[in-house]
Amino acid sequence: MIKYTSEQLFDMYRLMVTIRRFEDHLYQLFLQGLVPGTLHQYQGQEAVAVGVCSALQPADIIFSTHRPVGHGVAKGMSLKSIAAEIMGKADGCAGGKGGQMHLTDVSVGMMPSNAIVGANIPIATGAAIGFMLRGEERVSISFFGDGAANIGAFHEGINLAAVKNAPVVFVCENNQYAASTHISLTMKIENVADRAESYGIPGVILDGMDVMAVRETAEKAVERARRGGGPTLIEAKTYRFMGHSRGDPGKYRSEEELSEWRSRDPIPKYRAYLEAQGIDPLTLASLEESVDERIDEAVEYALAAPEPDASETYLNVYAERRK
Amino acid sequence: MIKYTSEQLFDMYRLMVTIRRFEDHLYQLFLQGLVPGTLHQYQGQEAVAVGVCSALQPADIIFSTHRPVGHGVAKGMSLKSIAAEIMGKADGCAGGKGGQMHLTDVSVGMMPSNAIVGANIPIATGAAIGFMLRGEERVSISFFGDGAANIGAFHEGINLAAVKNAPVVFVCENNQYAASTHISLTMKIENVADRAESYGIPGVILDGMDVMAVRETAEKAVERARRGGGPTLIEAKTYRFMGHSRGDPGKYRSEEELSEWRSRDPIPKYRAYLEAQGIDPLTLASLEESVDERIDEAVEYALAAPEPDASETYLNVYAERRK
Amino acid sequence: MSLVNTTEMTMAEALRDAMRLAMQEDPRVFLLGEDIGIKDGFGGGFTVTLGLSDEFGHERVMDTPLSEAAIIGAAVGAAMVGMRPIAEMQYGDFVFVGMDQLVNQAAKMHYMSNGQVSVPMVLRLPVGASRRGAQHAQSTEAYWMHTPGLKVVCPSNPYDAKGLLYAAIRDENPVIFLEHKLLYGGKGGRKEKTSIDPIMEVPTDSYEVPLGTLKEVREGQDVTILANMMMVYRSIAAADSLAEEGIRAQVIDMRCLQPLDLDLLSEAVKKTNRVLIVEEDNLTAGWGAEIAARLGDEVFYYLDAPIKRLAAPDTPVPTAATLEEEYLPTTEKIVEAVHGLLEGG
Amino acid sequence: MSLVNTTEMTMAEALRDAMRLAMQEDPRVFLLGEDIGIKDGFGGGFTVTLGLSDEFGHERVMDTPLSEAAIIGAAVGAAMVGMRPIAEMQYGDFVFVGMDQLVNQAAKMHYMSNGQVSVPMVLRLPVGASRRGAQHAQSTEAYWMHTPGLKVVCPSNPYDAKGLLYAAIRDENPVIFLEHKLLYGGKGGRKEKTSIDPIMEVPTDSYEVPLGTLKEVREGQDVTILANMMMVYRSIAAADSLAEEGIRAQVIDMRCLQPLDLDLLSEAVKKTNRVLIVEEDNLTAGWGAEIAARLGDEVFYYLDAPIKRLAAPDTPVPTAATLEEEYLPTTEKIVEAVHGLLEGG
Ligand SMILES: Cc1ncc(C[n+]2csc(CCOP(=O)(O)OP(=O)(O)O)c2C)c(N)n1
Ligand SMILES: Cc1ncc(C[n+]2csc(CCOP(=O)(O)OP(=O)(O)O)c2C)c(N)n1
Ligand SMILES: [Mg+2]
Ligand SMILES: [Mg+2]
């Protein structure tokens, strides 16, 4: 039973392929020493960002993390603005001031991504409270990882959202690791979603490598929140194919584990699903080609973009009074 | 089936009556303007402090809160040192520097009580980790209220204790209120103990007005911790008969609620239990008398004790190197 | 020439009035904190929000669980989507539980987003020693002055309190608003032991006292005393006693530490050539250190004596009355310090 | 006369060695933090704990969940029962998540208990800008200088790093130990982009560099430059270039800000009569402000020019290279500031 239009199905595929190839391209640039700062990459987790963001209305907003490229692309940011920001260029989405961990484009609802693990949870709750007070039927999404599930902000932010019935959906991307530390060392229980019971809200565990499953679950939770049914804690079991950040070879992970999860790569899985629905592989191939073109364009744009002028350093510390 | 000696039973009664009458006496002093600082009183919750502390070995330690008098008395602090500290006198347990919210007597295992709600939870976990590393068979206890169950330190402290299997027992005194805010406004679930599941440790709910039930539950949890079985979260349903602090008339609580809980006063309940065990009411009466004498002595001592010398202000900021 | 309608107000009443008027005028303004709106409750730690939940309801005067990181974090999030939250810490010292949300989020959000997002919020911190010990007495100005992106306000009287709070609510940036416990003017059971309760005629309408301004509260040609909150009163008392010795001490109320009106200070010191900074918090790396360092550079050649600072010693705040009194700068100590200054230091 | 056995060490190796020796000598010493002991892991954010868990096991080199309030709080609790914990924040900026445990607990415990309990712990904070933006670059010294009960240490070279860390571990008080990211001397993939990797001969045995001491790293009669961590190197480079113009600049390494050796500073300034303070963190209410205010009082009559401060502007730390470079004080700016000082300011 396909309840999505082929346009929606294509869109999801386009976004997932874009994220994967864009991140792979950035990694190559890093190897060539062309990436000035750090890199926390999203390959392997594409189904979560795309599944959740495709379940949103345009006016809904997302709060991302130190690993924001997938969320930014899925929410509709331009590849140019992301690439330029990662390269520390003036035309970056934050003028080079934010950098890879601080991507933002309010015009598409991508709120500033946060390099403090877990800090976006109470912030997303506050945005949702803001929507309630303004009578706006908007929903806010908080993305975070398995590591974030053990920090105080997770507990306080979700509990506040629960008692205020705030229109926020908490999406935990459990990729099994917080940097080099496996989740078995940081929690005695297996599922982050089981912690939803402490706050009296629904907790849902799902296969984060299945974009359709993610989208359907996200749609239910987002509509529930929009209708005043309060927050949901979604735990997407997933995996990152790269190290934690730029130079991390990831030796703390076994080869077997990595290849086992690679075998569940969300993109070939979804491509097989599309083909099973009778979609012509050539269409997908041409779509992938257009993705590559857009990525090359964006990277060229970023590499050619000017550095921010030194005088920018002193601007935007304080916001001016709006009349 | 009485598994406690009559001496132990008497001891518990003596301690509960001491706490009740001592706090009542301090309230009278407050009304006479003789208490310089603040007061957060323990009347109504005596069974929890006495039940838990009587389950401990002498070398075990407790971490108390802004409402520490009951814990301090139950752990064996002298009434004189408590009264003098509350009066801000030099002979107070902390020389007048700590005050009512910062009672401490390390010689009896009463670690400095904490005026930051929830802050003693990770500290108690750290002490327990210290015992493990030192190979000492000691247990640390963290007391806190229902309000503390919603703060980040609760989540981080208990989770760390759980993953390290630390010998610590968390005792939540759920007296239904955090200052003027009823628990129904701060948590969507009913029982704090249910949050134990988030950390993979046992959670136990008990009638905090029944000192025997508290002691038995505490003994199991303390021995479990001492044997390396890890932490337990105990939730004692209890009630405070006074306002939140010194001048609070507690109008946010209904008369019915207060009188309903007063009808479950832990002291007459325990006294009835003792008499049912055949203990002569006269023995209890004389015991109460000796309590009153000791309280009067302690209050006189405190009222007569000297103020700390101004020069003390500058001492004990930094600890000297011990050779 | 329309007469301004005024009425007698305590600090608590003036602060409450500023919030009430702001909420009436602007639906984006809302309050959140512990025990601030509970029916028959406290009206916040020091009665400042008493009655507001009856007028505006429990959504706009929102009681929260005991979760300071979530209180500040939610204020940041709400401000980012167009609201103008006023969050209360029941005591200023509890801000450290939510410090990341203030220092790493609220203060840096506008800059890190290159101006795309701003965080128009006020965080109210009751400060100052009040016989409750080290975790219920800190003033904390210096932490906020060292955090770019925050504004820091510390009124000493009801008129300034109402005007500065009203201006802070309308500011586009996170404002740390310090309120001294002994100046609230609480009545009955809520009256603080050692409080000075300034009561003043305050305009009933809304008005702004612009952030970034300081106020000379006493003229004097011989020495300039810079003080804030409770220390303004002790400095004025000291100036009165100095006047009896013919020493004319100027007192400037440092009601806003960020942005800082350095020109006003420089002009003042150019005339008096001697400066004493009086600060309730600990001496080392206090707000006074920055003022002394700035003026020591700006008006170096006008100084006839070194810039002196009188502050609390570098100890946590003790609880007992005799110790708290020793800890706090007193009028006598201020007089003594001025004498030292006049003898060329 | 026994020759001291030495070997070449980077900062990371010197710090690791101090901890290794302390752990060998004293069973009370243990480490806790994120990713510090994971098999085939990072060895902490900057390789400082690499290999220690192989030697001492995973209890004494304890990996924790991502919970900074619990990491610091557990260190406080363990220290209170006789252990000597060394906690690591992966980046200094994350300390704000656990700030209450540091400012309200660790710093005040000894005082509030009137000496009954002490908190002998070390909190290691990797600091300094490294192209990762405002939440991964703060230095934070000033916050700790303003918190009585804490000691503050910030070494610039491997010799001092090992000796100061060893002394900090043996101190009875909570010590905030700042380690600059660009001085670690990381190798291979972990090498920071803009790092200066000081490698030095360091004694192989354990030794203490006493807390509370400062170090003249370059003599000079004309001006005194006070700097810490990375700014020591930029100040020395500036002194070299000034020397070519015949200007003799003294450079003092401010390796310990609390306790502070004010006498050494006063004596130095009495000779040079001119002072420039160079600080990587934001200017306003930075550690330089306290030093300028103190010296401005102590040696006022010896100053031939106002005490100058050169620090980062009052902005969060920008990420892009051109902006970070503009933000950080540079050797050129130091030279310029000294010229300004010599022309009488
Ligand atoms: C409060 C805080 N502590 C530590 C760090 C350093 N750090 C950045 S990402 C990370 C691991 C986070 O793991 P998780 O939340 O699972 O996200 P993932 O990286 O797996 O996407 C750590 C320890 C940080 N940024 N913030
Ligand atoms: C972090 C923090 N926030 C707020 C306060 C102010 N305060 C002191 S006690 C209290 C209520 C605590 O309620 P609970 O934990 O249930 O303890 P109880 O007073 O009921 O024993 C509050 C809000 C504080 N001391 N610490
Ligand atoms: Mg993870
Ligand atoms: Mg309670």
Side-chain angles (χ1 to χ4, degrees):
Chain A
M1 193 285 298
I2 323 169
K3 64 172 189 157
Y4 300 109
T5 67
S6 54
E7 200 225 331
Q8 285 175 315
L9 294 176
F10 278 129
D11 212 32
M12 289 209 282
Y13 185 68
R14 179 181 58 76
L15 285 168
M16 288 171 78
V17 170
T18 301
I19 295 168
R20 172 65 54 84
R21 297 187 178 194
F22 185 46
E23 288 276 39
D24 284 345
H25 199 128
L26 288 169
Y27 188 66
Q28 293 311 317
L29 294 176
F30 157 69
L31 292 179
Q32 297 152 36
L34 292 172
V35 176
T38 185
L39 270 184
H40 298 83
Q41 301 207 290
Y42 201 69
Q43 296 92 325
Q45 301 182 204
E46 293 83 354
V48 185
V50 173
V52 171
C53 289
S54 49
L56 302 180
Q57 304 291 333
D60 295 337
I61 62 175
I62 70 169
F63 291 86
S64 176
T65 68
H66 56 286
R67 199 178 298 283
V69 169
H71 303 135
V73 170
K75 196 64 178 60
M77 284 182 76
S78 80
L79 298 185
K80 285 180 182 167
S81 69
I82 295 175
E85 188 63 33
I86 288 176
M87 300 291 180
K89 297 297 180 71
D91 305 327
C93 58
K97 266 193 203 162
Q100 181 264 295
M101 295 189 281
H102 300 288
L103 303 182
T104 184
D105 183 347
V106 176
S107 73
V108 297
M110 171 73 167
M111 305 308 280
S113 67
N114 212 308
I116 301 296
V117 170
N120 80 23
I121 296 172
I123 293 176
T125 295
I129 287 172
F131 293 155
M132 285 199 299
L133 290 170
R134 297 164 73 86
E136 295 173 353
E137 296 211 345
R138 299 169 67 188
V139 176
S140 108
I141 305 290
S142 164
F143 285 103
F144 52 88
D146 47 288
N150 297 316
I151 203 161
F154 168 94
H155 185 65
E156 293 194 13
I158 296 179
N159 187 61
L160 177 63
V163 294
K164 299 302 175 186
N165 223 16
V168 49
V169 178
F170 302 103
V171 180
C172 176
E173 299 180 78
N174 179 353
N175 60 16
Q176 325 300 313
Y177 290 90
S180 71
T181 307
H182 189 263
I183 190 169
S184 57
L185 299 173
T186 70
M187 282 186 356
K188 261 183 98 164
I189 61 168
E190 214 205 315
N191 304 315
V192 171
D194 296 344
R195 291 186 163 175
E197 280 151 42
S198 288
Y199 313 109
I201 64 172
V204 183
I205 300 166
L206 61 82
D207 174 4
M209 304 304 239
D210 176 350
V211 70
M212 297 300 285
V214 174
R215 178 164 188 166
E216 273 148 26
T217 308
E219 273 171 358
K220 283 198 209 80
V222 167
E223 284 327 307
R224 187 186 136 81
R226 206 186 302 285
R227 282 195 326 274
T232 305
L233 171 58
I234 295 175
E235 175 185 0
K237 304 284 188 182
T238 182
Y239 200 79
R240 56 167 161 79
F241 294 160
M242 307 295 285
H244 169 62
S245 59
R246 48 172 211 155
D248 168 29
K251 278 187 288 156
Y252 45 84
R253 303 194 302 189
S254 68
E255 273 313 314
E256 300 74 34
E257 186 186 85
L258 181 56
S259 56
E260 194 272 328
W261 279 95
R262 273 201 181 283
S263 71
R264 300 170 51 196
D265 188 329
I267 296 180
K269 177 176 183 155
Y270 183 53
R271 186 187 170 99
Y273 167 79
L274 292 179
E275 285 168 15
Q277 305 301 321
I279 290 175
D280 176 356
L282 287 178
T283 329
L284 300 178
S286 77
L287 191 144
E288 285 159 16
E289 236 173 76
S290 72
V291 163
D292 287 336
E293 275 154 34
R294 276 186 49 240
I295 289 170
D296 293 343
E297 236 177 74
V299 170
E300 266 147 50
Y301 168 87
L303 289 172
E307 306 269 343
D309 185 71
S311 62
E312 286 289 324
T313 305
Y314 307 95
L315 306 181
N316 291 320
V317 181
Y318 291 96
E320 292 316 318
R321 281 288 280 274
R322 271 169 269 163
K323 275 300 144 274
Chain B
M1 191 283 296
I2 322 169
K3 62 172 190 157
Y4 300 111
T5 66
S6 53
E7 200 226 333
Q8 285 176 316
L9 295 177
F10 277 129
D11 211 34
M12 290 208 281
Y13 186 69
R14 178 181 57 76
L15 285 169
M16 289 172 78
V17 169
T18 301
I19 295 168
R20 172 65 52 85
R21 297 188 177 194
F22 185 44
E23 287 276 39
D24 284 345
H25 199 129
L26 287 169
Y27 188 66
Q28 294 311 318
L29 295 176
F30 158 69
L31 293 178
Q32 296 152 38
L34 292 172
V35 176
T38 185
L39 269 185
H40 298 81
Q41 302 208 287
Y42 201 69
Q43 295 94 324
Q45 301 181 208
E46 293 83 354
V48 186
V50 173
V52 171
C53 289
S54 49
L56 302 180
Q57 303 293 333
D60 297 335
I61 62 174
I62 69 170
F63 291 86
S64 178
T65 68
H66 55 285
R67 199 177 297 284
V69 169
H71 304 137
V73 170
K75 196 64 179 60
M77 283 183 76
S78 79
L79 298 185
K80 286 180 181 171
S81 71
I82 294 175
E85 187 62 35
I86 289 177
M87 300 291 181
K89 296 298 181 69
D91 305 328
C93 58
K97 267 192 201 164
Q100 181 265 295
M101 294 189 283
H102 299 288
L103 303 182
T104 185
D105 183 348
V106 176
S107 72
V108 298
M110 172 72 166
M111 305 308 278
S113 65
N114 213 307
I116 302 295
V117 170
N120 79 24
I121 296 173
I123 294 176
T125 294
I129 287 173
F131 294 155
M132 286 199 298
L133 290 170
R134 298 165 71 85
E136 295 173 354
E137 296 210 347
R138 300 168 66 186
V139 176
S140 108
I141 304 291
S142 165
F143 286 102
F144 51 87
D146 46 288
N150 297 316
I151 204 160
F154 169 94
H155 185 66
E156 293 193 12
I158 297 180
N159 186 61
L160 177 63
V163 294
K164 300 302 177 188
N165 225 17
V168 50
V169 177
F170 302 102
V171 180
C172 176
E173 299 180 79
N174 181 354
N175 59 16
Q176 326 300 312
Y177 290 89
S180 70
T181 307
H182 189 263
I183 189 168
S184 59
L185 298 173
T186 69
M187 285 190 347
K188 260 183 97 165
I189 61 169
E190 212 206 315
N191 304 315
V192 170
D194 296 345
R195 291 185 163 176
E197 279 152 44
S198 286
Y199 313 108
I201 64 171
V204 182
I205 301 167
L206 59 83
D207 174 4
M209 304 305 238
D210 176 351
V211 69
M212 298 300 285
V214 174
R215 177 164 187 165
E216 273 149 24
T217 308
E219 273 170 357
K220 282 198 212 79
V222 167
E223 285 327 309
R224 187 185 134 81
R226 206 186 302 286
R227 283 196 324 279
T232 305
L233 172 58
I234 295 175
E235 175 185 359
K237 304 286 190 182
T238 181
Y239 199 79
R240 55 168 162 80
F241 295 159
M242 309 294 286
H244 170 64
S245 60
R246 50 174 209 158
D248 168 28
K251 278 188 288 150
Y252 46 84
R253 305 194 299 188
S254 69
E255 274 313 315
E256 300 76 36
E257 185 185 86
L258 182 56
S259 53
E260 194 271 327
W261 279 94
R262 272 203 181 282
S263 70
R264 301 171 49 198
D265 188 330
I267 296 180
K269 176 174 182 154
Y270 183 53
R271 187 189 169 94
Y273 167 81
L274 293 177
E275 285 165 14
Q277 304 302 321
I279 291 178
D280 176 357
L282 287 177
T283 330
L284 300 179
S286 77
L287 191 144
E288 285 160 17
E289 236 174 76
S290 72
V291 163
D292 287 335
E293 275 155 34
R294 275 190 47 243
I295 288 171
D296 293 342
E297 232 177 80
V299 169
E300 265 147 51
Y301 169 86
L303 290 172
E307 307 269 344
D309 184 73
S311 63
E312 285 290 324
T313 305
Y314 307 94
L315 305 180
N316 291 322
V317 180
Y318 291 96
E320 294 315 321
R321 281 288 280 273
R322 269 169 270 166
K323 275 299 143 279
Chain C
M1 210 284 288
S2 71
L3 264 182
V4 172
N5 189 335
T6 70
T7 182
E8 258 202 359
M9 290 191 195
T10 64
M11 283 279 275
E13 287 159 349
L15 293 165
R16 188 184 308 144
D17 208 36
M19 292 193 281
R20 196 169 54 77
L21 292 170
M23 288 175 83
Q24 285 172 352
E25 290 160 15
D26 186 342
R28 298 173 303 173
V29 180
F30 78 104
L31 314 185
L32 68 164
E34 294 154 16
D35 305 302
I36 62 169
I38 299 285
K39 208 171 164 341
D40 302 324
F42 306 140
F46 297 89
T47 75
V48 174
T49 58
L50 206 59
L52 292 181
S53 59
D54 302 330
E55 181 172 351
F56 296 98
H58 292 284
E59 264 77 45
R60 283 187 76 193
V61 182
M62 179 180 279
D63 285 294
T64 69
L66 207 156
S67 314
E68 279 75 13
I71 292 169
I72 301 174
V76 171
M80 285 166 72
V81 297
M83 297 301 284
R84 306 188 83 85
I86 306 171
E88 174 185 292
M89 295 286 105
Q90 205 161 81
Y91 280 78
D93 315 68
F94 310 153
V95 70
F96 297 118
V97 174
M99 188 79 157
D100 175 75
Q101 291 291 341
L102 194 55
V103 169
N104 278 335
Q105 311 302 335
K108 296 177 171 56
M109 199 64 80
H110 189 64
Y111 188 81
M112 289 195 297
S113 66
N114 203 26
Q116 277 191 53
V117 172
S118 56
V119 183
M121 65 176 270
V122 176
L123 181 63
R124 293 179 41 239
L125 306 182
V127 296
S130 64
R131 297 271 178 76
R132 291 185 178 84
Q135 296 179 339
H136 278 70
Q138 295 161 90
S139 295
T140 72
E141 300 97 327
Y143 296 112
W144 319 127
M145 278 181 81
H146 191 56
T147 310
L150 302 180
K151 294 191 178 183
V152 190
V153 178
C154 41
S156 66
N157 61 72
Y159 178 83
D160 281 357
K162 180 174 176 179
L164 286 166
L165 182 53
Y166 188 75
I169 296 165
R170 297 157 68 96
D171 194 279
E172 292 308 322
N173 301 282
V175 178
I176 309 299
F177 199 92
L178 308 173
E179 302 163 2
H180 200 284
K181 294 171 202 135
L182 304 184
L183 301 178
Y184 274 127
K187 298 195 182 74
R190 302 305 301 171
K191 182 143 174 46
E192 290 300 324
K193 282 266 162 317
T194 53
S195 58
I196 315 158
D197 299 327
I199 296 183
M200 260 170 111
E201 283 297 321
V202 176
T204 51
D205 290 343
S206 53
Y207 59 92
E208 287 196 26
V209 169
L211 302 191
T213 60
L214 302 175
K215 183 139 191 288
E216 181 187 55
V217 290
R218 186 192 176 87
E219 284 184 9
Q221 290 71 16
D222 303 328
V223 60
T224 299
I225 302 178
L226 310 179
N228 69 346
M229 301 191 281
M230 192 170 75
M231 291 300 144
V232 170
Y233 297 88
R234 294 190 174 188
S235 299
I236 291 174
D240 291 344
S241 112
L242 287 164
E244 284 151 23
E245 308 166 43
I247 301 169
R248 295 155 304 172
Q250 173 189 37
V251 179
I252 296 179
D253 183 342
M254 301 293 289
R255 62 187 183 188
C256 185
L257 293 170
Q258 176 64 32
L260 178 70
D261 184 351
L262 190 61
D263 294 343
L264 180 141
L265 297 180
S266 305
E267 290 318 307
V269 177
K270 282 180 187 169
K271 294 196 194 91
T272 63
N273 314 104
R274 294 170 198 278
V275 196
L276 172 67
I277 302 168
V278 184
E279 177 174 357
E280 172 167 338
D281 214 69
N282 306 114
L283 173 71
T284 298
W287 64 262
E290 176 58 28
I291 306 293
R294 275 288 174 81
L295 288 175
D297 183 3
E298 287 287 316
V299 293
F300 177 72
Y301 295 99
Y302 292 86
L303 293 174
D304 293 345
I307 298 172
K308 291 287 181 187
R309 293 183 291 161
L310 174 63
D314 292 325
T315 76
V317 187
T319 312
T322 52
L323 304 182
E324 195 185 86
E325 265 142 46
E326 174 67 18
Y327 172 85
L328 292 169
T330 59
T331 298
E332 296 67 32
K333 287 184 191 167
I334 297 170
V335 170
E336 223 182 286
V338 168
H339 286 156
L341 251 173
L342 294 175
E343 287 134 22
Chain D
M1 213 279 289
S2 71
L3 264 183
V4 172
N5 190 334
T6 69
T7 180
E8 256 203 1
M9 290 191 197
T10 64
M11 284 280 272
E13 287 158 351
L15 293 165
R16 188 183 309 143
D17 208 37
M19 291 192 282
R20 195 169 54 78
L21 292 169
M23 289 175 82
Q24 285 171 352
E25 290 160 16
D26 187 344
R28 297 173 302 172
V29 180
F30 77 104
L31 315 184
L32 69 164
E34 293 154 16
D35 305 299
I36 62 169
I38 299 284
K39 209 173 166 334
D40 300 324
F42 305 140
F46 298 89
T47 76
V48 174
T49 58
L50 205 60
L52 292 181
S53 60
D54 303 332
E55 182 172 351
F56 297 98
H58 293 284
E59 265 78 43
R60 284 188 73 192
V61 182
M62 181 180 277
D63 286 294
T64 68
L66 208 157
S67 315
E68 279 75 13
I71 292 170
I72 303 173
V76 171
M80 284 165 73
V81 299
M83 297 302 282
R84 307 188 82 89
I86 306 171
E88 175 184 292
M89 295 287 106
Q90 205 162 84
Y91 280 79
D93 316 68
F94 310 151
V95 71
F96 298 118
V97 174
M99 188 78 157
D100 175 76
Q101 291 292 340
L102 194 56
V103 169
N104 278 335
Q105 312 303 333
K108 296 177 172 59
M109 198 66 80
H110 189 65
Y111 189 81
M112 289 194 299
S113 66
N114 203 28
Q116 277 192 54
V117 171
S118 55
V119 183
M121 66 175 272
V122 176
L123 181 63
R124 292 178 42 238
L125 306 183
V127 296
S130 63
R131 298 268 179 77
R132 292 185 177 84
Q135 296 179 340
H136 277 71
Q138 294 160 90
S139 296
T140 70
E141 300 96 328
Y143 296 113
W144 320 126
M145 278 181 82
H146 190 55
T147 310
L150 300 180
K151 295 191 177 182
V152 190
V153 178
C154 40
S156 66
N157 62 72
Y159 178 84
D160 282 358
K162 179 173 175 178
L164 286 166
L165 181 53
Y166 189 76
I169 296 166
R170 297 158 69 95
D171 195 279
E172 293 308 321
N173 301 282
V175 178
I176 309 299
F177 199 91
L178 307 173
E179 303 163 1
H180 199 284
K181 293 169 202 137
L182 303 185
L183 301 180
Y184 274 126
K187 297 190 182 78
R190 303 304 301 170
K191 184 148 171 40
E192 289 301 323
K193 281 264 158 319
T194 53
S195 57
I196 315 157
D197 300 324
I199 297 184
M200 256 169 114
E201 283 297 320
V202 176
T204 50
D205 290 343
S206 53
Y207 60 91
E208 287 195 27
V209 170
L211 303 191
T213 60
L214 302 174
K215 186 140 189 287
E216 181 188 53
V217 291
R218 187 191 175 88
E219 283 183 12
Q221 289 72 17
D222 303 328
V223 61
T224 298
I225 303 178
L226 310 180
N228 68 346
M229 300 192 281
M230 193 169 76
M231 291 301 144
V232 169
Y233 296 88
R234 295 191 172 186
S235 298
I236 291 174
D240 290 344
S241 112
L242 287 163
E244 285 153 23
E245 305 167 45
I247 300 168
R248 298 156 302 172
Q250 173 188 37
V251 179
I252 296 179
D253 184 340
M254 301 293 290
R255 63 187 183 188
C256 187
L257 294 169
Q258 175 64 34
L260 179 69
D261 185 351
L262 190 61
D263 294 343
L264 181 143
L265 297 180
S266 303
E267 289 318 309
V269 176
K270 282 179 186 168
K271 292 195 194 94
T272 62
N273 313 106
R274 295 170 197 276
V275 197
L276 171 67
I277 302 168
V278 183
E279 175 175 358
E280 173 168 336
D281 214 70
N282 306 114
L283 173 73
T284 299
W287 64 262
E290 175 59 27
I291 306 294
R294 274 289 173 84
L295 287 175
D297 183 3
E298 286 288 315
V299 294
F300 177 73
Y301 295 101
Y302 292 86
L303 294 174
D304 293 346
I307 298 171
K308 290 288 180 188
R309 291 183 292 161
L310 174 63
D314 290 326
T315 77
V317 187
T319 312
T322 52
L323 304 182
E324 194 184 87
E325 265 143 42
E326 173 68 18
Y327 171 86
L328 291 170
T330 59
T331 298
E332 295 67 33
K333 287 183 192 167
I334 297 170
V335 170
E336 223 181 289
V338 169
H339 286 155
L341 254 173
L342 294 175
E343 288 135 23

